[in-house]
Amino acid sequence: MATQNLRRVFVWQLPIRFYHWVNALCIVALCVTGYIIARPPAFQQGTEASFAYWFGINRFLHFAFSYIFLFNFLFRLYWGFVGNRYANWKNFIPTNRKFFHEMWEVIKIDILLQKDKEHLAVGHNALAGFIYFFVFLAFAVQCLTGFGLYAAMSDWWLPNLFAWVPGLFGGDFDLRQIHHATMWFFIVFSIIHVYLVFYHDYVEGRGETSSIIGGWKFIEEDVFIKELEEEKKEEEEFKRKVIEGQKA
Amino acid sequence: MTPSSNRPTYYEELRQKGYSRRDFMKFCTTIAAYMGLQASGAAQVAEALKSNSRVPVIWMHFQECTCCSESFIRSSHPIVADVILDKISLDYTETLMAASGHQAEAAMHKTMEEFPGEYVLCVEGSVPVYEDGVYCCIGGRSAADILQETAAGAKAIIAWGSCACNGCVQAAKPNPTGATPIHKLVKGKPIIKVPGCPPIGEVMAGVLVHLVTFGRVPELDRIGRPKAFYSKRVHDTCYRRPFYDAGLFVESFDDENAQKGYCLYKVGCRGPMTYNACGVTKWNNGTSFPIQSGHGCIGCSEENFWDNGPFYRRITNFPGFGIESNADKIGGVVAGVTAAGIAAHAIGTNLRKKKLIDDLIAEGKESDKELS
């Protein structure tokens, strides 16, 4: 069979890759330390309390990583407006019919495993983008509830910006519940996320996994040219509308 | 508060009751310390109680168990009870006043007419709002009606206890009577929330004395509780806190760790999410508080504490999944189902997309051949 020419596309910019791995590290660290805070293991120690501080250190790590997580998250939101087209916020919020159409395609091909078809997206596919939208929401929920709980322990103005959050729920009770339950969203998401990366790499052979390390993805030339043409058409359509608008 | 009539001052009332000046000064010092004032604060308190005529107080009892009143009359200094709860200071309180029936109602209306905008309305208990409030009626009128009437002319409202602040036990699911906290029914009046089931007597006295001494509502937090008493979690002032930071926990109430007095976090202590002064002020004249006697805090001053059970477990039940369900169990099941789904998907991929994958492999091998 014929080999295909692949075009190299620079998809994930360095700040995005950096964000991704810092985020991954933070989520793993926060899940582990957070779970320990919720359910501390029974270390039977003979030591006096004054010589031990492991639970305090664990909490410290949780809070330290949460700051990194927050700033990293804020940076990603910023990059959604200044980054390249694959990082743009429009990848995550369905704004047109094409977005929904592509989501349905992804569901058919990737989840219902429609036979011998492959869906080739250069950046995030529409379904992934839409799911990331909810992931960002979960990030926001964790930041709000987490720093809301933390505010009472801190004198710094930054966490105290979140001091209004417990008031919404009448206290810390429900806040903890939400914060803890949302952790499971991250765990389940991570499992699916990693699997789907492997899946795409496996059935497409386009370097899905390594793209988040080097930033490169590869795409078949004919698909690439089709994309390019569509892109041009859209641009012309947009220009035409603008000119029409100016005339009117 | 300016003396608006020829009523005697607090000090005069006390002298009439047989308290010496020394007793009076002791009380002022004690209460100033509880209020968290600096040393000179005692003089401020003394000055205020000497020059201000007593503030008229109407104390309503709605859906409650009177544990707030009980706690109050047992606060550490007897003057607290004498000054504020005794009949000299309370113009209306069903539980403790001598009058009853029409006479009691008359006393209440007299206070409302004589001191509009001056009296303090203390509310103990929540107000039922279902079925036009028939679940709590006094003198043939619903609590909701009485609350609106008395609140209209009040200078400030003090919501005593968790019932008045967040509904407490009677507002627990399914809240059959529609028990509603005061702040949801009265608008446009300063409301001081003093939650707890009951609140600490000294805290209650401190709030009242603050009103009298400074003539204004104490500084409140976002939820409306006086910061002086509710800005710290029980956890922050707990003497067992070092065990928490050291990760030394009681695993069950009958283990060795419990004997050693380790942290009660893992047996459900709500100290880390409960804002109250129990750790410093303690109870029964500063004798002890729940954690000191080996039982975790149940979070009685927090909203919905009754629904956030069980008390003896760290992770509370997850709503909507029945009893004995917590976020971790549900999360574990979801993660397991996900893993199973992934396994099925992986197998499905290899079956359904076999041609696609084979093509890829063939293509790779082709290229490999060309290289060699």
Side-chain angles (χ1 to χ4, degrees):
Chain A
M1 75 160 282
T3 53
Q4 299 209 45
N5 281 331
L6 293 175
R7 288 291 294 259
R8 186 202 305 274
V9 187
F10 185 61
V11 180
W12 312 127
Q13 296 163 291
L14 181 65
I16 285 291
R17 284 173 280 146
F18 194 73
Y19 151 80
H20 174 270
W21 289 112
V22 171
N23 202 40
L25 174 74
C26 282
I27 287 177
V28 171
L30 286 167
C31 284
V32 171
T33 54
Y35 194 83
I36 291 173
I37 289 172
R39 303 197 145 188
F43 289 151
Q44 293 301 318
Q45 298 163 309
T47 57
E48 286 291 327
S50 34
F51 297 117
Y53 196 68
W54 75 263
F55 198 65
I57 289 167
N58 181 63
R59 290 175 73 242
F60 169 78
L61 288 175
H62 191 77
F63 303 143
F65 276 110
S66 68
Y67 275 116
I68 301 171
F69 178 81
L70 173 69
F71 287 120
N72 198 44
F73 174 40
L74 291 177
F75 168 77
R76 181 65 186 88
L77 292 182
Y78 164 72
W79 203 256
F81 294 95
V82 300
N84 71 8
R85 48 195 302 253
Y86 306 109
N88 193 278
W89 64 272
K90 284 183 187 142
N91 288 288
F92 308 104
I93 300 167
T95 45
N96 51 41
R97 195 177 291 160
K98 202 180 147 209
F99 198 110
F100 286 104
H101 177 75
E102 195 188 329
M103 271 203 288
W104 177 233
E105 285 294 303
V106 177
I107 290 171
K108 277 199 299 196
I109 295 163
D110 284 1
I111 297 176
L112 304 177
L113 292 175
Q114 218 173 65
K115 228 172 171 177
D116 296 338
K117 281 189 186 171
E118 46 188 334
H119 172 81
L120 298 171
V122 185
H124 297 299
N125 70 50
L127 185 66
F130 192 50
I131 288 169
Y132 290 142
F133 172 70
F134 290 99
V135 173
F136 286 134
L137 275 189
F139 287 177
V141 167
Q142 287 307 65
C143 288
L144 285 173
T145 54
F147 280 98
L149 286 165
Y150 181 71
M153 297 179 237
S154 176
D155 293 327
W156 193 28
W157 59 266
L158 182 82
N160 274 296
L161 290 178
F162 297 86
W164 53 274
V165 182
L168 285 185
F169 299 89
D172 292 359
F173 258 125
D174 294 343
L175 223 51
R176 282 196 171 223
Q177 182 94 307
I178 294 166
H179 194 69
H180 188 71
T182 311
M183 173 194 73
W184 281 103
F185 172 82
F186 287 99
I187 294 172
V188 172
F189 169 80
S190 303
I191 295 170
I192 298 173
H193 174 71
V194 171
Y195 169 74
L196 282 179
V197 170
F198 290 175
Y199 164 83
H200 280 277
D201 209 322
Y202 185 54
V203 299
E204 290 171 0
R206 300 196 293 142
E208 180 91 8
T209 315
S210 70
S211 73
I212 199 60
I213 298 170
W216 306 106
K217 267 194 187 178
F218 305 91
I219 192 155
E220 280 80 352
E221 196 150 44
D222 47 340
V223 180
F224 181 84
I225 289 161
K226 229 172 85 188
E227 280 269 305
L228 207 66
E229 276 167 5
E230 256 177 56
E231 199 68 30
K232 268 185 190 156
K233 237 191 257 169
E234 265 175 39
E235 211 167 287
E236 271 160 25
E237 181 78 354
F238 179 74
K239 270 184 195 161
R240 197 175 56 78
K241 272 185 187 167
V242 170
I243 292 163
E244 264 178 27
Q246 278 172 347
K247 275 179 190 166
Chain B
M1 274 169 217
T2 47
S4 61
S5 65
N6 50 6
R7 284 171 292 151
T9 66
Y10 284 96
Y11 181 59
E12 284 164 357
E13 297 256 23
L14 287 168
R15 292 307 297 265
Q16 274 172 21
K17 291 215 68 167
Y19 282 102
S20 67
R21 179 174 163 77
R22 191 184 174 78
D23 287 332
F24 174 72
M25 288 311 293
K26 270 181 171 171
F27 165 73
C28 293
T29 315
T30 311
I31 204 74
Y34 277 132
M35 286 158 69
L37 301 178
Q38 56 190 353
S40 62
Q44 264 179 295
V45 173
E47 186 56 36
L49 294 183
K50 258 163 110 176
S51 49
N52 294 354
S53 60
R54 67 170 187 83
V55 176
V57 174
I58 295 180
W59 188 307
M60 303 306 306
H61 296 257
F62 296 136
Q63 282 183 304
E64 47 90 322
C65 70
T66 319
C67 72
C68 301
S69 296
E70 291 285 349
S71 171
F72 191 41
I73 58 178
R74 276 160 188 74
S75 59
S76 51
H77 205 286
I79 285 183
V80 172
D82 267 350
V83 134
I84 301 156
L85 252 201
D86 207 342
K87 60 183 185 300
I88 56 161
S89 201
L90 261 184
D91 299 271
Y92 176 85
T93 175
E94 295 100 322
T95 314
L96 292 165
M97 71 195 303
S100 64
H102 293 298
Q103 284 174 324
E105 295 293 309
M108 183 179 89
H109 283 108
K110 186 163 166 275
T111 308
M112 286 166 57
E113 279 156 24
E114 273 181 32
F115 309 105
E118 248 182 90
Y119 64 86
V120 171
L121 175 66
C122 296
V123 183
E124 204 178 327
S126 54
V127 174
V129 295
Y130 290 170
E131 323 296 342
D132 293 328
V134 293
Y135 295 109
C136 180
C137 288
I138 301 154
R141 295 177 57 208
S142 73
D145 266 2
I146 299 171
L147 176 67
Q148 295 304 343
E149 188 191 359
T150 46
K155 176 192 169 75
I157 299 172
I158 304 179
W160 284 147
S162 292
C163 298
C165 295
N166 56 49
C168 201
V169 178
Q170 61 273 27
K173 283 171 198 138
N175 191 2
T177 65
T180 309
I182 303 310
H183 68 274
K184 289 188 180 163
L185 296 170
V186 179
K187 302 285 173 205
K189 290 277 173 192
I191 298 178
I192 309 166
K193 291 188 195 168
V194 188
C197 190
I200 304 168
E202 283 75 23
V203 167
M204 300 173 76
V207 170
L208 273 177
V209 172
H210 189 287
L211 267 178
V212 171
T213 307
F214 299 109
R216 57 184 144 81
V217 171
E219 197 187 346
L220 304 178
D221 67 6
R222 282 185 173 76
I223 301 176
R225 306 170 292 198
K227 273 188 178 171
F229 308 108
Y230 292 94
S231 61
K232 287 256 177 275
R233 301 171 302 168
V234 172
H235 189 56
D236 298 323
T237 51
C238 180
Y239 78 104
R240 296 197 189 202
R241 178 63 187 263
F243 294 109
Y244 173 84
D245 288 327
L248 297 169
F249 300 106
V250 171
E251 299 293 329
S252 71
F253 282 107
D254 56 355
D255 69 1
E256 198 189 338
N257 297 354
Q259 281 177 22
K260 287 180 180 164
Y262 286 178
C263 175
L264 296 159
Y265 182 69
K266 284 178 82 174
V267 285
C269 181
R270 302 287 195 253
M273 32 188 151
T274 304
Y275 292 78
N276 211 332
C278 301
V280 269
T281 309
K282 299 191 182 175
W283 291 80
N284 301 321
N285 305 350
T287 307
S288 182
F289 71 115
I291 295 167
Q292 195 172 339
S293 48
H295 188 288
C297 166
I298 63 168
C300 74
S301 57
E302 289 295 310
E303 191 167 319
N304 293 332
F305 81 94
W306 202 260
D307 286 326
N308 284 306
F311 289 149
Y312 301 105
R313 227 192 280 145
R314 252 293 299 147
I315 314 277
T316 57
N317 279 340
F318 202 76
F321 287 88
I323 314 171
E324 300 295 313
S325 69
N326 64 49
D328 288 344
K329 275 187 196 165
I330 293 159
V333 170
V334 172
V337 169
T338 308
I342 282 173
H345 191 272
I347 294 166
T349 301
N350 280 299
L351 295 174
R352 301 270 302 171
K353 306 240 176 212
K354 192 165 182 306
K355 188 168 174 293
L356 209 70
I357 297 160
D358 286 348
D359 285 352
L360 272 182
I361 293 169
E363 192 185 321
K365 280 185 178 162
E366 195 100 343
S367 304
D368 187 42
K369 251 184 236 158
E370 282 172 34
L371 279 178
S372 55

